[in-house]
Amino acid sequence: LLSRRQRQMCKETDHILAKADKVIVLSDTYYKGCLLRRNDFMLQHSNFVIAYYDGKQKGGTYYTCREARKRGMTVVNLF
């Protein structure tokens, strides 16, 4: 059973997806590393990165900004 907040989040997600021009599903299930795979996919299909990164050397934003710089991509940090 989902909590009231989880049901609301599902409803909000469905609303956003209904307005999207295109939805790409990389995995139907969650697994360790799936968010990094998603970030790699976004980098492969982007020309630059706009991030809100606090400078801590851990986490998904750190990983993605580091990978973008390795690829020679411009990273704009809004932090």
Side-chain angles (χ1 to χ4, degrees):
L1 290 167
L2 297 175
S3 70
R4 187 167 68 171
R5 178 63 186 140
Q6 288 170 320
R7 286 193 305 273
Q8 181 63 30
M9 288 176 64
C10 289
K11 196 173 176 183
E12 291 168 3
T13 300
D14 289 343
H15 178 73
I16 292 167
L17 291 176
K19 294 190 176 293
D21 293 328
K22 185 176 183 180
V23 176
I24 299 170
V25 178
L26 300 178
S27 176
D28 289 323
T29 58
Y30 177 86
Y31 60 89
K32 186 175 181 175
C34 70
L35 298 178
L36 297 179
R37 179 174 177 230
R38 176 210 54 198
N39 293 353
D40 287 336
F41 178 88
M42 290 191 298
L43 289 176
Q44 290 167 1
H45 295 86
S46 302
N47 295 315
F48 62 94
V49 173
I50 300 174
Y52 190 80
Y53 173 53
D54 61 10
K56 294 180 183 173
Q57 294 186 354
K58 64 178 184 176
T61 306
Y62 164 70
Y63 168 85
T64 304
C65 290
R66 184 187 68 199
E67 290 300 310
R69 287 186 181 103
K70 282 183 189 177
R71 297 172 189 213
M73 297 173 75
T74 299
V75 176
V76 177
N77 187 3
L78 302 177
F79 184 77

